[in-house]
Amino acid sequence: MTTINEYLSLEQFKTVVFDNSSVKISDEVLERVAQSFDFLKEFSANKIIYGVNTGFGPMAQYRIKDEDRIQLQYNLIRSHASGTGKPLAPQMVKAAILARLNTLSLGNSGVHPSVINLMQELINRDIYPLIFEHGGVGASGDLVQLAHLALVLIGEGEVFYKGERKATQEVFAAEGLTAISVEIREGLALMNGTSVMTGIGIVNAVNAKKLLDISLRFSSALNEIVKAYDDSFSPELNNTKLHKGQQEVAARMREHLADSKLVRKREDHLYTGDNTETVFKEKVQEYYSLRCVPQILGPVLDTINSAALVLENEINSANDNPIVDVKNQHVYHGGNFHGDYISLEMDKLKLGVTKLSMLAERQLNYLMNAKINEILPPFTNLGTLGFNFGLQGVQFTAVSTTAENQMLSNSMYVHSIPNNNDNQDIVSMGTNAAVITAKVIENAFEVLAIQAMAIVQAIDALSYKNEVSSGTRKIYDDIRAILPVFEKDQAMYPYVQAIKEYLMK
């Protein structure tokens, strides 16, 4: 059980979205939200408050008649429920609901407590509003996507329930749920914020961390397979560079390889003997994709950690407009809905993940190319060379997928297009940035799945199964449980998919 109270940590957020912990709203939150609602209702009686008694966006210059104020909110929700494209995955929708629930719980939005109570029920009963990928420009927040959430909360639209897409009314009837009734500004308060991009962003950050962990272990295994020297990940070398990510990656590589029988020490080979050769039989140092793992994955790790901090700050921030301040008895107008913080972090995150997938593809190529590694058959082929193909086919897929990641890594943060009659003259495109980053992350899992296949084939080709470290042996055993040793050619796509699903768990 995760209680919504003063502050929601990223770890608590993850237990709800990834581990299906239920949500409970504290009495303090309910009291805070009720006070905000009551204050706004009284304060707005004889004042001009955006979105309460005015139109929206460039229509804010038009006063709304008192008798039309409630209908205005319904009009806003229905008119903006206009998304297109693929529906967001249920996990991302759940994250978006939780992010919106938490920000509304801060008491800066003037919503009725029934709003957060119903959102709590959607999370706990696994009811996921139909929200589409396309539609948000990231300011005023996720207007279009959050309109689809608001549409469900007023009892309209569609949801995913028990694996099926159904009418909201039907599901509410089955679950005994009652739609909210708009009281003051529930439409605008629900829609005007960054919760969809933030929810997707948190899912992205968690999955990117998984990718980093996998890539680090696979990179360690590759250094082991080729009997690389250990000084490239030594503390003496890496601590001369003052980046926390690099130092941590190197330390984790040392931990992974601590009991390896294969990695070598330079002093036992190239620093001993007469060393009179003019052409050295042994490699003096490895290719960059093996030797520079701490320097490549270190910045990725730091980027993931930076994104996580920004995302945690955002879910605990009031990000709609205007801001209701009960303490100072005032309502402030501004732009907290602007998604630039999230947009920039998502662009940085997808750059890091793309670089990670590029590293995996180059490491895969090292294993595939016998002329480079000089120890393995081409394409880690355990069959008859020329007659069988090994992993030649899946290498094409890894290269293709990596190339798509490179293309998708163009920035959304700087792709602002003015809209809304130029009221929104500079926007964040944060939702697009988050959605595209999710695609880049999924692609990276596919590349790593293919890399895993090559690593275990290489271990068998060299008969190293009993010499690798315990960490690499676990990789071997887990992947071999999905992909048996093979010599004869067979369709590989089911194995790629199965290994991808295993890595994403």
Side-chain angles (χ1 to χ4, degrees):
M1 176 77 71
T2 299
T3 302
I4 305 297
N5 197 353
E6 289 296 327
Y7 189 91
L8 185 65
S9 72
L10 215 56
E11 286 303 313
Q12 291 174 309
F13 196 100
K14 285 161 58 179
T15 62
V16 176
V17 175
F18 288 86
D19 302 328
N20 296 317
S21 172
S22 58
V23 170
K24 182 179 185 298
I25 301 170
S26 70
D27 291 339
E28 292 85 353
V29 164
L30 291 173
E31 176 63 22
R32 188 162 65 225
V33 171
Q35 288 177 359
S36 176
F37 172 80
D38 291 340
F39 165 70
L40 180 62
K41 190 171 186 177
E42 179 181 354
F43 186 82
S44 63
N46 61 347
K47 298 176 182 66
I48 303 302
I49 307 293
Y50 172 73
V52 174
N53 49 21
T54 75
F56 298 107
M59 300 292 109
Q61 303 307 114
Y62 295 88
R63 181 189 291 273
I64 302 301
K65 298 176 182 177
D66 287 348
E67 61 268 26
D68 292 333
R69 285 163 60 170
I70 300 303
Q71 186 60 45
L72 172 71
Q73 302 293 321
Y74 285 103
N75 290 350
L76 179 68
I77 294 169
R78 290 166 181 153
S79 66
H80 283 64
S82 55
T84 62
K86 295 179 181 178
L88 291 176
Q91 188 178 60
M92 292 180 176
V93 174
K94 189 174 190 177
I97 300 171
L98 181 57
R100 199 80 206 123
L101 168 60
N102 199 60
T103 193
L104 295 180
S105 296
L106 298 175
N108 295 121
S109 302
V111 297
H112 192 271
S114 62
V115 174
I116 61 172
N117 283 326
L118 184 53
M119 293 171 75
Q120 172 190 243
E121 295 300 327
L122 295 184
I123 292 171
N124 291 343
R125 301 185 192 217
D126 294 322
I127 300 171
Y128 305 113
L130 172 65
I131 300 177
F132 295 97
E133 286 184 347
H134 295 159
V137 298
S140 300
D142 303 306
L143 279 176
V144 169
Q145 279 97 343
L146 285 172
H148 285 273
L149 167 60
L151 193 67
V152 167
L153 293 173
I154 63 172
E156 301 177 19
E158 299 174 83
V159 298
F160 287 97
Y161 177 68
K162 297 182 177 179
E164 296 182 26
R165 181 171 164 176
K166 295 186 174 183
T168 301
Q169 277 187 323
E170 178 185 348
V171 173
F172 277 18
E175 288 286 334
L177 296 174
T178 303
I180 66 167
S181 296
V182 171
E183 301 284 346
I184 304 176
R185 65 179 293 263
E186 278 72 19
L188 183 62
L190 281 165
M191 294 166 52
N192 195 211
T194 61
S195 301
V196 173
M197 67 177 83
T198 305
I200 298 172
I202 292 174
V203 173
N204 288 343
V206 171
N207 286 332
K209 188 67 162 54
K210 290 180 186 177
L211 284 170
L212 186 283
D213 294 341
I214 295 164
S215 182
L216 195 156
R217 290 188 289 119
F218 286 6
S219 297
S220 300
L222 185 60
N223 271 276
E224 189 174 13
I225 290 168
V226 303
K227 295 185 176 180
Y229 295 108
D230 68 355
D231 49 353
S232 70
F233 48 87
S234 67
E236 292 80 6
L237 182 137
N238 286 281
N239 289 349
T240 63
K241 206 161 187 183
L242 303 182
H243 298 297
K244 184 177 179 182
Q246 175 178 335
Q247 294 175 1
E248 182 176 336
V249 168
R252 289 169 62 181
M253 290 182 73
R254 295 194 296 274
E255 181 181 359
H256 181 102
L257 296 169
D259 58 354
S260 172
K261 300 175 183 178
L262 297 172
V263 291
R264 299 185 293 174
K265 291 191 176 297
R266 191 170 296 273
E267 53 267 32
D268 295 338
H269 295 271
L270 297 179
Y271 287 2
T272 60
D274 295 332
N275 294 321
T276 58
E277 304 100 316
T278 55
V279 178
F280 305 107
K281 292 180 181 179
E282 295 184 4
K283 281 188 172 67
V284 174
Q285 53 186 10
E286 300 297 341
Y287 283 56
Y288 285 11
S289 61
L290 283 77
R291 180 168 31 118
C292 301
V293 171
Q295 293 83 0
I296 295 170
L297 291 185
V300 179
L301 175 57
D302 284 337
T303 299
I304 293 169
N305 290 337
S306 171
L309 177 61
V310 170
L311 290 161
E312 185 168 308
N313 285 339
E314 191 70 20
I315 60 172
N316 289 288
S317 299
N319 51 54
D320 52 343
N321 177 56
I323 295 298
V324 178
D325 187 344
V326 177
K327 180 181 177 181
N328 293 306
Q329 298 286 288
H330 202 73
V331 174
Y332 297 93
H333 291 68
N336 276 5
F337 50 68
H338 216 280
D340 268 36
Y341 271 105
I342 305 304
S343 183
L344 180 56
E345 292 303 317
M346 289 300 100
D347 272 9
K348 289 159 56 179
L349 188 62
K350 72 180 177 183
L351 281 172
V353 171
T354 292
K355 192 61 176 284
L356 181 152
S357 66
M358 291 166 61
L359 174 66
E361 186 278 324
R362 288 292 84 198
Q363 292 173 341
L364 173 65
N365 182 72
Y366 187 91
L367 293 174
M368 297 289 97
N369 192 332
K371 293 179 180 179
I372 293 177
N373 63 61
E374 299 178 337
I375 57 173
L376 290 165
F379 307 108
T380 60
N381 186 352
L382 302 183
T384 302
L385 297 182
F387 179 68
N388 296 116
F389 291 90
L391 294 175
Q392 180 175 328
V394 288
Q395 186 185 14
F396 292 129
T397 302
V399 171
S400 169
T401 308
T402 302
E404 182 175 79
N405 273 4
Q406 291 172 314
M407 182 276 296
L408 290 174
S409 290
N410 288 307
S411 175
M412 285 303 306
Y413 176 68
V414 297
H415 270 65
S416 174
I417 299 176
N419 70 115
N420 195 228
N421 281 4
D422 277 342
N423 170 55
Q424 298 185 15
D425 57 352
I426 183 166
V427 298
S428 75
M429 294 295 178
T431 326
N432 283 353
V435 168
I436 294 171
T437 300
K439 175 62 174 171
V440 168
I441 288 169
E442 183 175 358
N443 284 351
F445 275 109
E446 293 175 4
V447 177
L448 288 174
I450 294 167
Q451 184 187 14
M453 298 165 75
I455 288 171
V456 297
Q457 286 289 103
I459 289 172
D460 281 320
L462 297 169
S463 300
Y464 282 168
K465 184 170 66 172
N466 296 320
E467 296 184 67
V468 295
S469 64
S470 55
T472 298
R473 181 57 189 262
K474 185 177 188 316
I475 294 169
Y476 176 88
D477 290 340
D478 289 352
I479 300 302
R480 277 298 183 218
I482 302 169
L483 174 73
V485 179
F486 70 93
E487 299 177 5
K488 296 180 179 179
D489 296 319
Q490 53 191 306
M492 300 305 295
Y493 70 90
Y495 297 112
V496 175
Q497 183 62 32
I499 295 171
K500 173 188 170 184
E501 291 172 359
Y502 160 76
L503 295 178
M504 292 183 73
K505 287 181 181 177

